[in-house]
Each structure stands twice: as structure tokens, then as C-alpha cells.
Amino acid sequence: MSPLENRLTIMGRLDEIAQVRDFVTATARAIGLSEQAIHHCELAIDETCTNIIEHGYQLDGSAKPIEIICETASDRLVIHIRDQGPAFNPLVRPDPDPTTDLEERSDGGWGIYFTKKVMDDVQYLRDGQFNQLTLSKRFGLQ
Amino acid sequence: MNVNVSKDNKTTLIEVSGRIDSTNANQLGEALMSEINQGNMQLVVDLGSVDYMSSAGLREIVSALKKVRGKGDLRLAQPSERVLEVLEMAGLDTIFQIFPDQSLAISSYS
């Protein structure tokens, strides 16, 4: 497969996320990921962009971009998500515990938890004024 | 996403279709809270026509379940494989009673 690089930039509003989901699922489908792996990429990108818009941009991101770059490496689809919110590494937050009883259950943190569960690798980088989260999904795995 | 609410004796049936995500999960939450605030505590949420649900949707059904527990229940019917996977990742498949079809979920209250 020849290397691929697709880019999309949206504004930081919840109603723009559908575009990102369509963009990522079309890319994942074009390179032959399984339907379950495509759903995993869709969930991860949705949760990541929702967190950026709700927390990083505080629901005031109409003029603040989120850039999505999909590229293929030899054995994986790699998705970079770049935003201009305050520096924040979501990976250092403790995971919510899925075995917790209903009453003690945490309301937050599930989005990044799901992202880590469904993707094969998730990395955070602060790059100048950008937060960059890099998600990887390997070919041939669920 | 569409939310349709109907009554079956003492049970309130909430049929949801489409995608549940951060753009619309609050509509589901509002529909659930409206029923709970009217004293309807035996709820069935039918997810049979939901093809996608993110953590935003889970937050709404968990919040509603917390409100009704002890007075009634919120039971789920026919989640798709995709939706069930999300419920399982969050450990909610052991917290919610989940039924393979709508009629079993409704009759479970009798």
C-alpha cells in the first residue's frame, strides 16, 4: 500500500465533529480496516474532539481550529489531532474504574479511557502552541 | 437521533434511533428526566435502532439510572454489538439489566 496522508481542519464546535467522523471512517474504510476497527477509530476521534471542544476550548471554539491528519505507516493507520487549547496531557489523568458501583462511579474520564481501550497506541505531545494526540490502529487487528 | 416515548401499563418505553453523541445526548437525558420527574420510574430504553453511542450517551443513561434506583429501574433492550461493546468497556453491562428484545424488557417489570 502506498503511504497516504489526508488532512482536515474543523472549527472547535460540537456540530463539526460529524465531519471528522466521516473523514476518519472514510479513510479507515479505504485502507481496508475491519468494520469493528473502523468503529473504534470513529469512537476515538469523536471522544477526542469532544474533549477538546468541551474542555480545551470550553465550548467557545468557533474561531479555534482542530486539525486532523490521517496517515498510513507500514502496519497501521495513524491519526494526529492538533488543537490550540491550553497545554493538557489527557493521558496522565487516572482512568475511571469500570468495576465501580453505580453510586461511586465517576462521571468524567470515560472518553479518553475508551480511546485508550480501542486504539493500539495513544501518545501526547506538546508542540509549541499545539496539543497533539496521536492515535494508532494496526491493520489486521480488531 | 430520534426519541419516542410511549406507555405500556406502568412501564415507560423510550425508543431511540440513530446516533447518540455529544451533539444530541442531552435530548435523551431530557426525555428520561421528564419521565422521572412525572414519577415514571419503570423505564425501558430500547436501543435496537441505535447504531452508535459515545460516552456522552452513557452519561445520560447512567445519570437517569442513579435517579430511579431504589424507586424503580432503567432497563435496556436490544443494544447492537457496537453499543454493547461500549457498555461493556464502561462496565455497565453488569450494572444495567439488558434484554435481547423490547417485550422481554417490558415484561421483566411484571
Side-chain angles (χ1 to χ4, degrees), chain A residues 46-96:
Chain A
D46 181 357
E47 299 288 3
T48 301
C49 290
T50 296
N51 278 341
I52 291 168
I53 293 165
E54 290 185 344
H55 303 297
Y57 289 166
Q58 298 280 306
L59 292 173
D60 187 28
S62 288
K64 298 173 189 166
I66 301 173
E67 186 179 15
I68 296 91
I69 304 143
C70 291
E71 57 189 21
T72 49
S74 58
D75 65 341
R76 62 188 62 205
L77 171 64
V78 180
I79 308 167
H80 306 285
I81 304 113
R82 290 165 64 82
D83 71 82
Q84 297 179 20
F88 177 68
N89 179 358
L91 303 179
V92 299
R93 178 180 177 153
D95 287 336

mmCIF file of all heavy atoms in Angstrom, chain A residues 46-96:
data_model
loop_
_atom_site.group_PDB
_atom_site.id
_atom_site.type_symbol
_atom_site.label_atom_id
_atom_site.label_comp_id
_atom_site.label_asym_id
_atom_site.label_seq_id
_atom_site.Cartn_x
_atom_site.Cartn_y
_atom_site.Cartn_z
ATOM 1 N N ASP A 46 -14.190 10.827 17.875
ATOM 2 C CA ASP A 46 -15.349 11.539 18.433
ATOM 3 C C ASP A 46 -15.055 11.949 19.878
ATOM 4 O O ASP A 46 -15.225 13.112 20.267
ATOM 5 C CB ASP A 46 -16.571 10.606 18.348
ATOM 6 C CG ASP A 46 -17.859 11.228 18.864
ATOM 7 O OD1 ASP A 46 -17.842 12.369 19.356
ATOM 8 O OD2 ASP A 46 -18.897 10.552 18.786
ATOM 9 N N GLU A 47 -14.588 11.003 20.681
ATOM 10 C CA GLU A 47 -14.318 11.297 22.097
ATOM 11 C C GLU A 47 -13.188 12.335 22.228
ATOM 12 O O GLU A 47 -13.268 13.240 23.069
ATOM 13 C CB GLU A 47 -13.923 10.008 22.841
ATOM 14 C CG GLU A 47 -14.989 8.922 22.850
ATOM 15 C CD GLU A 47 -16.186 9.223 23.757
ATOM 16 O OE1 GLU A 47 -16.237 10.313 24.368
ATOM 17 O OE2 GLU A 47 -17.088 8.355 23.831
ATOM 18 N N THR A 48 -12.167 12.205 21.401
ATOM 19 C CA THR A 48 -11.034 13.137 21.482
ATOM 20 C C THR A 48 -11.469 14.551 21.119
ATOM 21 O O THR A 48 -11.156 15.515 21.837
ATOM 22 C CB THR A 48 -9.897 12.666 20.544
ATOM 23 O OG1 THR A 48 -9.482 11.361 20.937
ATOM 24 C CG2 THR A 48 -8.709 13.603 20.603
ATOM 25 N N CYS A 49 -12.181 14.693 20.004
ATOM 26 C CA CYS A 49 -12.620 16.037 19.585
ATOM 27 C C CYS A 49 -13.623 16.614 20.583
ATOM 28 O O CYS A 49 -13.593 17.817 20.871
ATOM 29 C CB CYS A 49 -13.220 15.983 18.177
ATOM 30 S SG CYS A 49 -11.992 15.675 16.905
ATOM 31 N N THR A 50 -14.521 15.769 21.116
ATOM 32 C CA THR A 50 -15.477 16.261 22.120
ATOM 33 C C THR A 50 -14.737 16.813 23.335
ATOM 34 O O THR A 50 -15.058 17.897 23.845
ATOM 35 C CB THR A 50 -16.444 15.131 22.543
ATOM 36 O OG1 THR A 50 -17.215 14.746 21.405
ATOM 37 C CG2 THR A 50 -17.381 15.576 23.648
ATOM 38 N N ASN A 51 -13.716 16.106 23.806
ATOM 39 C CA ASN A 51 -12.947 16.585 24.963
ATOM 40 C C ASN A 51 -12.256 17.913 24.663
ATOM 41 O O ASN A 51 -12.235 18.810 25.512
ATOM 42 C CB ASN A 51 -11.896 15.544 25.374
ATOM 43 C CG ASN A 51 -12.499 14.442 26.235
ATOM 44 O OD1 ASN A 51 -13.570 14.603 26.812
ATOM 45 N ND2 ASN A 51 -11.803 13.318 26.313
ATOM 46 N N ILE A 52 -11.680 18.035 23.470
ATOM 47 C CA ILE A 52 -11.002 19.293 23.106
ATOM 48 C C ILE A 52 -12.009 20.446 23.132
ATOM 49 O O ILE A 52 -11.751 21.510 23.694
ATOM 50 C CB ILE A 52 -10.369 19.173 21.704
ATOM 51 C CG1 ILE A 52 -9.198 18.187 21.736
ATOM 52 C CG2 ILE A 52 -9.918 20.551 21.194
ATOM 53 C CD1 ILE A 52 -8.701 17.774 20.355
ATOM 54 N N ILE A 53 -13.176 20.210 22.520
ATOM 55 C CA ILE A 53 -14.174 21.286 22.391
ATOM 56 C C ILE A 53 -14.779 21.639 23.750
ATOM 57 O O ILE A 53 -14.923 22.812 24.095
ATOM 58 C CB ILE A 53 -15.259 20.865 21.372
ATOM 59 C CG1 ILE A 53 -14.632 20.783 19.974
ATOM 60 C CG2 ILE A 53 -16.439 21.824 21.401
ATOM 61 C CD1 ILE A 53 -15.476 20.049 18.943
ATOM 62 N N GLU A 54 -15.104 20.611 24.541
ATOM 63 C CA GLU A 54 -15.779 20.885 25.826
ATOM 64 C C GLU A 54 -14.806 21.389 26.892
ATOM 65 O O GLU A 54 -15.154 22.257 27.687
ATOM 66 C CB GLU A 54 -16.485 19.623 26.326
ATOM 67 C CG GLU A 54 -17.694 19.263 25.459
ATOM 68 C CD GLU A 54 -18.492 18.078 26.000
ATOM 69 O OE1 GLU A 54 -17.980 17.340 26.866
ATOM 70 O OE2 GLU A 54 -19.637 17.885 25.527
ATOM 71 N N HIS A 55 -13.596 20.852 26.913
ATOM 72 C CA HIS A 55 -12.657 21.197 27.995
ATOM 73 C C HIS A 55 -11.560 22.152 27.513
ATOM 74 O O HIS A 55 -11.377 23.218 28.084
ATOM 75 C CB HIS A 55 -12.067 19.924 28.598
ATOM 76 C CG HIS A 55 -13.118 18.990 29.106
ATOM 77 N ND1 HIS A 55 -13.965 19.322 30.136
ATOM 78 C CD2 HIS A 55 -13.506 17.753 28.692
ATOM 79 C CE1 HIS A 55 -14.819 18.329 30.359
ATOM 80 N NE2 HIS A 55 -14.564 17.367 29.479
ATOM 81 N N GLY A 56 -10.835 21.767 26.444
ATOM 82 C CA GLY A 56 -9.747 22.622 25.960
ATOM 83 C C GLY A 56 -10.254 23.975 25.491
ATOM 84 O O GLY A 56 -9.704 25.019 25.838
ATOM 85 N N TYR A 57 -11.334 23.967 24.706
ATOM 86 C CA TYR A 57 -11.889 25.203 24.150
ATOM 87 C C TYR A 57 -13.087 25.717 24.955
ATOM 88 O O TYR A 57 -13.683 26.741 24.575
ATOM 89 C CB TYR A 57 -12.296 24.997 22.688
ATOM 90 C CG TYR A 57 -11.140 24.837 21.722
ATOM 91 C CD1 TYR A 57 -11.344 24.360 20.427
ATOM 92 C CD2 TYR A 57 -9.836 25.170 22.074
ATOM 93 C CE1 TYR A 57 -10.302 24.217 19.517
ATOM 94 C CE2 TYR A 57 -8.786 25.027 21.173
ATOM 95 C CZ TYR A 57 -9.024 24.545 19.900
ATOM 96 O OH TYR A 57 -7.984 24.410 19.005
ATOM 97 N N GLN A 58 -13.449 25.014 26.023
ATOM 98 C CA GLN A 58 -14.525 25.476 26.921
ATOM 99 C C GLN A 58 -15.814 25.842 26.165
ATOM 100 O O GLN A 58 -16.465 26.840 26.474
ATOM 101 C CB GLN A 58 -14.043 26.693 27.737
ATOM 102 C CG GLN A 58 -12.845 26.390 28.639
ATOM 103 C CD GLN A 58 -13.263 25.702 29.928
ATOM 104 O OE1 GLN A 58 -14.114 26.205 30.655
ATOM 105 N NE2 GLN A 58 -12.690 24.541 30.197
ATOM 106 N N LEU A 59 -16.140 25.073 25.141
ATOM 107 C CA LEU A 59 -17.340 25.291 24.310
ATOM 108 C C LEU A 59 -17.367 26.681 23.664
ATOM 109 O O LEU A 59 -18.427 27.231 23.373
ATOM 110 C CB LEU A 59 -18.621 25.053 25.121
ATOM 111 C CG LEU A 59 -18.876 23.607 25.537
ATOM 112 C CD1 LEU A 59 -20.074 23.511 26.488
ATOM 113 C CD2 LEU A 59 -19.109 22.705 24.322
ATOM 114 N N ASP A 60 -16.174 27.250 23.462
ATOM 115 C CA ASP A 60 -16.058 28.566 22.842
ATOM 116 C C ASP A 60 -15.015 28.503 21.727
ATOM 117 O O ASP A 60 -14.145 29.365 21.624
ATOM 118 C CB ASP A 60 -15.660 29.588 23.925
ATOM 119 C CG ASP A 60 -15.678 31.008 23.387
ATOM 120 O OD1 ASP A 60 -16.456 31.274 22.449
ATOM 121 O OD2 ASP A 60 -14.901 31.840 23.893
ATOM 122 N N GLY A 61 -15.111 27.461 20.916
ATOM 123 C CA GLY A 61 -14.060 27.211 19.939
ATOM 124 C C GLY A 61 -14.445 27.537 18.504
ATOM 125 O O GLY A 61 -13.822 27.026 17.571
ATOM 126 N N SER A 62 -15.468 28.401 18.320
ATOM 127 C CA SER A 62 -15.919 28.684 16.954
ATOM 128 C C SER A 62 -14.815 29.232 16.071
ATOM 129 O O SER A 62 -14.837 29.040 14.856
ATOM 130 C CB SER A 62 -17.074 29.681 16.990
ATOM 131 O OG SER A 62 -18.207 29.031 17.477
ATOM 132 N N ALA A 63 -13.851 29.942 16.682
ATOM 133 C CA ALA A 63 -12.754 30.517 15.888
ATOM 134 C C ALA A 63 -11.444 29.773 16.121
ATOM 135 O O ALA A 63 -10.382 30.229 15.707
ATOM 136 C CB ALA A 63 -12.583 31.991 16.247
ATOM 137 N N LYS A 64 -11.541 28.628 16.808
ATOM 138 C CA LYS A 64 -10.313 27.889 17.135
ATOM 139 C C LYS A 64 -10.316 26.552 16.390
ATOM 140 O O LYS A 64 -11.268 25.782 16.518
ATOM 141 C CB LYS A 64 -10.228 27.657 18.644
ATOM 142 C CG LYS A 64 -10.163 28.950 19.440
ATOM 143 C CD LYS A 64 -10.257 28.664 20.928
ATOM 144 C CE LYS A 64 -10.426 29.960 21.702
ATOM 145 N NZ LYS A 64 -10.846 29.712 23.091
ATOM 146 N N PRO A 65 -9.277 26.288 15.652
ATOM 147 C CA PRO A 65 -9.288 25.094 14.797
ATOM 148 C C PRO A 65 -8.878 23.812 15.528
ATOM 149 O O PRO A 65 -8.190 23.842 16.542
ATOM 150 C CB PRO A 65 -8.263 25.435 13.727
ATOM 151 C CG PRO A 65 -7.298 26.342 14.410
ATOM 152 C CD PRO A 65 -8.083 27.111 15.434
ATOM 153 N N ILE A 66 -9.328 22.721 14.951
ATOM 154 C CA ILE A 66 -8.789 21.390 15.283
ATOM 155 C C ILE A 66 -8.351 20.791 13.949
ATOM 156 O O ILE A 66 -9.136 20.759 13.003
ATOM 157 C CB ILE A 66 -9.842 20.479 15.938
ATOM 158 C CG1 ILE A 66 -10.386 21.104 17.229
ATOM 159 C CG2 ILE A 66 -9.245 19.104 16.228
ATOM 160 C CD1 ILE A 66 -11.553 20.318 17.842
ATOM 161 N N GLU A 67 -7.112 20.350 13.911
ATOM 162 C CA GLU A 67 -6.581 19.771 12.673
ATOM 163 C C GLU A 67 -6.449 18.257 12.854
ATOM 164 O O GLU A 67 -5.950 17.802 13.887
ATOM 165 C CB GLU A 67 -5.217 20.384 12.348
ATOM 166 C CG GLU A 67 -4.684 19.923 11.006
ATOM 167 C CD GLU A 67 -3.330 20.545 10.653
ATOM 168 O OE1 GLU A 67 -2.672 21.103 11.551
ATOM 169 O OE2 GLU A 67 -2.954 20.442 9.479
ATOM 170 N N ILE A 68 -6.911 17.526 11.846
ATOM 171 C CA ILE A 68 -6.828 16.060 11.885
ATOM 172 C C ILE A 68 -5.997 15.613 10.691
ATOM 173 O O ILE A 68 -6.267 16.001 9.550
ATOM 174 C CB ILE A 68 -8.228 15.405 11.838
ATOM 175 C CG1 ILE A 68 -9.021 15.774 13.084
ATOM 176 C CG2 ILE A 68 -8.130 13.884 11.770
ATOM 177 C CD1 ILE A 68 -9.861 16.993 12.971
ATOM 178 N N ILE A 69 -4.993 14.821 10.966
ATOM 179 C CA ILE A 69 -4.128 14.294 9.903
ATOM 180 C C ILE A 69 -4.164 12.771 10.002
ATOM 181 O O ILE A 69 -3.837 12.203 11.047
ATOM 182 C CB ILE A 69 -2.677 14.793 10.072
ATOM 183 C CG1 ILE A 69 -2.650 16.320 10.103
ATOM 184 C CG2 ILE A 69 -1.772 14.252 8.951
ATOM 185 C CD1 ILE A 69 -1.630 16.879 11.055
ATOM 186 N N CYS A 70 -4.611 12.130 8.931
ATOM 187 C CA CYS A 70 -4.593 10.664 8.862
ATOM 188 C C CYS A 70 -3.451 10.242 7.963
ATOM 189 O O CYS A 70 -3.343 10.723 6.833
ATOM 190 C CB CYS A 70 -5.889 10.130 8.255
ATOM 191 S SG CYS A 70 -7.338 10.345 9.280
ATOM 192 N N GLU A 71 -2.607 9.351 8.434
ATOM 193 C CA GLU A 71 -1.547 8.834 7.575
ATOM 194 C C GLU A 71 -1.376 7.348 7.827
ATOM 195 O O GLU A 71 -1.728 6.846 8.899
ATOM 196 C CB GLU A 71 -0.236 9.594 7.792
ATOM 197 C CG GLU A 71 0.256 9.592 9.212
ATOM 198 C CD GLU A 71 1.440 10.549 9.431
ATOM 199 O OE1 GLU A 71 1.619 11.470 8.624
ATOM 200 O OE2 GLU A 71 2.143 10.348 10.420
ATOM 201 N N THR A 72 -0.856 6.666 6.825
ATOM 202 C CA THR A 72 -0.607 5.244 6.998
ATOM 203 C C THR A 72 0.883 5.027 7.194
ATOM 204 O O THR A 72 1.709 5.636 6.502
ATOM 205 C CB THR A 72 -1.078 4.432 5.779
ATOM 206 O OG1 THR A 72 -0.563 5.039 4.594
ATOM 207 C CG2 THR A 72 -2.583 4.400 5.710
ATOM 208 N N ALA A 73 1.211 4.182 8.146
ATOM 209 C CA ALA A 73 2.567 3.671 8.285
ATOM 210 C C ALA A 73 2.523 2.242 7.760
ATOM 211 O O ALA A 73 1.496 1.794 7.260
ATOM 212 C CB ALA A 73 2.990 3.735 9.742
ATOM 213 N N SER A 74 3.632 1.507 7.886
ATOM 214 C CA SER A 74 3.693 0.191 7.245
ATOM 215 C C SER A 74 2.596 -0.743 7.771
ATOM 216 O O SER A 74 2.050 -1.545 7.022
ATOM 217 C CB SER A 74 5.062 -0.432 7.471
ATOM 218 O OG SER A 74 5.297 -0.535 8.860
ATOM 219 N N ASP A 75 2.288 -0.642 9.047
ATOM 220 C CA ASP A 75 1.369 -1.621 9.631
ATOM 221 C C ASP A 75 0.198 -0.976 10.343
ATOM 222 O O ASP A 75 -0.508 -1.640 11.101
ATOM 223 C CB ASP A 75 2.127 -2.517 10.611
ATOM 224 C CG ASP A 75 2.654 -1.735 11.814
ATOM 225 O OD1 ASP A 75 2.759 -0.488 11.714
ATOM 226 O OD2 ASP A 75 2.943 -2.355 12.842
ATOM 227 N N ARG A 76 -0.008 0.342 10.163
ATOM 228 C CA ARG A 76 -1.046 0.983 10.963
ATOM 229 C C ARG A 76 -1.586 2.262 10.332
ATOM 230 O O ARG A 76 -0.917 2.881 9.510
ATOM 231 C CB ARG A 76 -0.510 1.304 12.359
ATOM 232 C CG ARG A 76 0.664 2.278 12.354
ATOM 233 C CD ARG A 76 1.285 2.409 13.735
ATOM 234 N NE ARG A 76 1.821 1.133 14.181
ATOM 235 C CZ ARG A 76 1.977 0.788 15.463
ATOM 236 N NH1 ARG A 76 1.628 1.625 16.416
ATOM 237 N NH2 ARG A 76 2.476 -0.377 15.790
ATOM 238 N N LEU A 77 -2.807 2.609 10.747
ATOM 239 C CA LEU A 77 -3.362 3.939 10.476
ATOM 240 C C LEU A 77 -3.006 4.822 11.670
ATOM 241 O O LEU A 77 -3.218 4.425 12.820
ATOM 242 C CB LEU A 77 -4.884 3.858 10.330
ATOM 243 C CG LEU A 77 -5.636 5.195 10.246
ATOM 244 C CD1 LEU A 77 -5.253 5.982 8.990
ATOM 245 C CD2 LEU A 77 -7.151 4.967 10.279
ATOM 246 N N VAL A 78 -2.448 5.995 11.369
ATOM 247 C CA VAL A 78 -2.052 6.930 12.421
ATOM 248 C C VAL A 78 -2.891 8.196 12.261
ATOM 249 O O VAL A 78 -2.991 8.739 11.157
ATOM 250 C CB VAL A 78 -0.549 7.261 12.320
ATOM 251 C CG1 VAL A 78 -0.145 8.246 13.416
ATOM 252 C CG2 VAL A 78 0.284 5.990 12.417
ATOM 253 N N ILE A 79 -3.508 8.624 13.348
ATOM 254 C CA ILE A 79 -4.364 9.821 13.317
ATOM 255 C C ILE A 79 -3.806 10.835 14.319
ATOM 256 O O ILE A 79 -3.736 10.543 15.523
ATOM 257 C CB ILE A 79 -5.828 9.479 13.696
ATOM 258 C CG1 ILE A 79 -6.352 8.319 12.851
ATOM 259 C CG2 ILE A 79 -6.716 10.713 13.553
ATOM 260 C CD1 ILE A 79 -7.665 7.711 13.385
ATOM 261 N N HIS A 80 -3.390 11.995 13.814
ATOM 262 C CA HIS A 80 -2.926 13.066 14.693
ATOM 263 C C HIS A 80 -4.066 14.068 14.850
ATOM 264 O O HIS A 80 -4.698 14.456 13.862
ATOM 265 C CB HIS A 80 -1.732 13.810 14.088
ATOM 266 C CG HIS A 80 -0.589 12.926 13.708
ATOM 267 N ND1 HIS A 80 0.267 12.375 14.639
ATOM 268 C CD2 HIS A 80 -0.150 12.502 12.490
ATOM 269 C CE1 HIS A 80 1.188 11.649 14.000
ATOM 270 N NE2 HIS A 80 0.948 11.703 12.702
ATOM 271 N N ILE A 81 -4.304 14.502 16.072
ATOM 272 C CA ILE A 81 -5.327 15.533 16.333
ATOM 273 C C ILE A 81 -4.631 16.690 17.034
ATOM 274 O O ILE A 81 -4.047 16.511 18.109
ATOM 275 C CB ILE A 81 -6.463 14.988 17.230
ATOM 276 C CG1 ILE A 81 -7.087 13.745 16.599
ATOM 277 C CG2 ILE A 81 -7.545 16.047 17.445
ATOM 278 C CD1 ILE A 81 -6.857 12.494 17.366
ATOM 279 N N ARG A 82 -4.676 17.875 16.395
ATOM 280 C CA ARG A 82 -3.937 19.027 16.925
ATOM 281 C C ARG A 82 -4.919 20.141 17.285
ATOM 282 O O ARG A 82 -5.783 20.503 16.488
ATOM 283 C CB ARG A 82 -2.936 19.529 15.875
ATOM 284 C CG ARG A 82 -1.779 18.563 15.666
ATOM 285 C CD ARG A 82 -1.007 18.870 14.397
ATOM 286 N NE ARG A 82 -0.355 20.168 14.419
ATOM 287 C CZ ARG A 82 0.812 20.435 15.003
ATOM 288 N NH1 ARG A 82 1.469 19.480 15.649
ATOM 289 N NH2 ARG A 82 1.334 21.639 14.935
ATOM 290 N N ASP A 83 -4.759 20.675 18.495
ATOM 291 C CA ASP A 83 -5.612 21.786 18.914
ATOM 292 C C ASP A 83 -4.764 22.865 19.574
ATOM 293 O O ASP A 83 -3.610 22.626 19.922
ATOM 294 C CB ASP A 83 -6.706 21.304 19.874
ATOM 295 C CG ASP A 83 -6.173 20.925 21.246
ATOM 296 O OD1 ASP A 83 -5.975 21.819 22.091
ATOM 297 O OD2 ASP A 83 -5.926 19.721 21.463
ATOM 298 N N GLN A 84 -5.388 24.035 19.736
ATOM 299 C CA GLN A 84 -4.661 25.171 20.291
ATOM 300 C C GLN A 84 -5.149 25.534 21.693
ATOM 301 O O GLN A 84 -5.049 26.680 22.122
ATOM 302 C CB GLN A 84 -4.787 26.379 19.360
ATOM 303 C CG GLN A 84 -4.148 26.127 17.999
ATOM 304 C CD GLN A 84 -4.299 27.308 17.057
ATOM 305 O OE1 GLN A 84 -4.542 28.437 17.467
ATOM 306 N NE2 GLN A 84 -4.155 27.051 15.771
ATOM 307 N N GLY A 85 -5.709 24.568 22.402
ATOM 308 C CA GLY A 85 -6.116 24.810 23.791
ATOM 309 C C GLY A 85 -4.904 24.884 24.704
ATOM 310 O O GLY A 85 -3.769 24.645 24.271
ATOM 311 N N PRO A 86 -5.144 25.218 25.975
ATOM 312 C CA PRO A 86 -4.036 25.226 26.942
ATOM 313 C C PRO A 86 -3.371 23.855 26.991
ATOM 314 O O PRO A 86 -4.027 22.834 26.747
ATOM 315 C CB PRO A 86 -4.738 25.539 28.273
ATOM 316 C CG PRO A 86 -6.065 26.104 27.908
ATOM 317 C CD PRO A 86 -6.436 25.529 26.576
ATOM 318 N N ALA A 87 -2.073 23.846 27.291
ATOM 319 C CA ALA A 87 -1.348 22.572 27.344
ATOM 320 C C ALA A 87 -2.059 21.614 28.298
ATOM 321 O O ALA A 87 -2.331 21.960 29.451
ATOM 322 C CB ALA A 87 0.083 22.818 27.825
ATOM 323 N N PHE A 88 -2.397 20.437 27.778
ATOM 324 C CA PHE A 88 -3.086 19.449 28.611
ATOM 325 C C PHE A 88 -2.821 18.059 28.066
ATOM 326 O O PHE A 88 -3.133 17.770 26.909
ATOM 327 C CB PHE A 88 -4.604 19.712 28.625
ATOM 328 C CG PHE A 88 -5.360 18.678 29.410
ATOM 329 C CD1 PHE A 88 -5.208 18.588 30.792
ATOM 330 C CD2 PHE A 88 -6.218 17.777 28.781
ATOM 331 C CE1 PHE A 88 -5.885 17.613 31.524
ATOM 332 C CE2 PHE A 88 -6.900 16.804 29.500
ATOM 333 C CZ PHE A 88 -6.735 16.730 30.879
ATOM 334 N N ASN A 89 -2.233 17.226 28.923
ATOM 335 C CA ASN A 89 -1.991 15.839 28.548
ATOM 336 C C ASN A 89 -3.076 14.964 29.167
ATOM 337 O O ASN A 89 -3.053 14.689 30.369
ATOM 338 C CB ASN A 89 -0.614 15.408 29.052
ATOM 339 C CG ASN A 89 -0.322 13.956 28.715
ATOM 340 O OD1 ASN A 89 -1.162 13.260 28.130
ATOM 341 N ND2 ASN A 89 0.860 13.492 29.069
ATOM 342 N N PRO A 90 -4.032 14.500 28.352
ATOM 343 C CA PRO A 90 -5.140 13.715 28.916
ATOM 344 C C PRO A 90 -4.696 12.332 29.403
ATOM 345 O O PRO A 90 -5.450 11.667 30.112
ATOM 346 C CB PRO A 90 -6.115 13.596 27.737
ATOM 347 C CG PRO A 90 -5.267 13.701 26.517
ATOM 348 C CD PRO A 90 -4.137 14.628 26.879
ATOM 349 N N LEU A 91 -3.498 11.920 29.015
ATOM 350 C CA LEU A 91 -3.064 10.559 29.346
ATOM 351 C C LEU A 91 -2.555 10.440 30.784
ATOM 352 O O LEU A 91 -2.364 9.329 31.269
ATOM 353 C CB LEU A 91 -1.973 10.101 28.366
ATOM 354 C CG LEU A 91 -2.376 10.153 26.887
ATOM 355 C CD1 LEU A 91 -1.227 9.702 26.003
ATOM 356 C CD2 LEU A 91 -3.614 9.299 26.639
ATOM 357 N N VAL A 92 -2.330 11.566 31.451
ATOM 358 C CA VAL A 92 -1.821 11.472 32.823
ATOM 359 C C VAL A 92 -2.957 11.362 33.843
ATOM 360 O O VAL A 92 -2.729 11.058 35.001
ATOM 361 C CB VAL A 92 -0.916 12.680 33.198
ATOM 362 C CG1 VAL A 92 0.299 12.733 32.279
ATOM 363 C CG2 VAL A 92 -1.679 13.985 33.137
ATOM 364 N N ARG A 93 -4.170 11.614 33.390
ATOM 365 C CA ARG A 93 -5.315 11.509 34.294
ATOM 366 C C ARG A 93 -5.569 10.035 34.630
ATOM 367 O O ARG A 93 -5.549 9.177 33.744
ATOM 368 C CB ARG A 93 -6.528 12.103 33.579
ATOM 369 C CG ARG A 93 -7.803 12.016 34.364
ATOM 370 C CD ARG A 93 -8.965 12.627 33.591
ATOM 371 N NE ARG A 93 -10.171 12.455 34.380
ATOM 372 C CZ ARG A 93 -11.234 13.233 34.325
ATOM 373 N NH1 ARG A 93 -11.257 14.244 33.494
ATOM 374 N NH2 ARG A 93 -12.277 13.010 35.071
ATOM 375 N N PRO A 94 -5.830 9.727 35.917
ATOM 376 C CA PRO A 94 -6.127 8.324 36.259
ATOM 377 C C PRO A 94 -7.381 7.846 35.517
ATOM 378 O O PRO A 94 -8.330 8.612 35.336
ATOM 379 C CB PRO A 94 -6.385 8.362 37.771
ATOM 380 C CG PRO A 94 -5.885 9.671 38.248
ATOM 381 C CD PRO A 94 -5.904 10.612 37.081
ATOM 382 N N ASP A 95 -7.366 6.583 35.122
ATOM 383 C CA ASP A 95 -8.534 6.023 34.427
ATOM 384 C C ASP A 95 -9.706 5.879 35.389
ATOM 385 O O ASP A 95 -9.505 5.527 36.557
ATOM 386 C CB ASP A 95 -8.195 4.623 33.892
ATOM 387 C CG ASP A 95 -7.263 4.685 32.697
ATOM 388 O OD1 ASP A 95 -7.236 5.718 32.010
ATOM 389 O OD2 ASP A 95 -6.558 3.680 32.471
ATOM 390 N N PRO A 96 -10.936 6.095 34.899
ATOM 391 C CA PRO A 96 -12.095 5.718 35.709
ATOM 392 C C PRO A 96 -12.124 4.194 35.832
ATOM 393 O O PRO A 96 -11.575 3.488 34.983
ATOM 394 C CB PRO A 96 -13.281 6.243 34.893
ATOM 395 C CG PRO A 96 -12.795 6.340 33.502
ATOM 396 C CD PRO A 96 -11.312 6.595 33.565
#
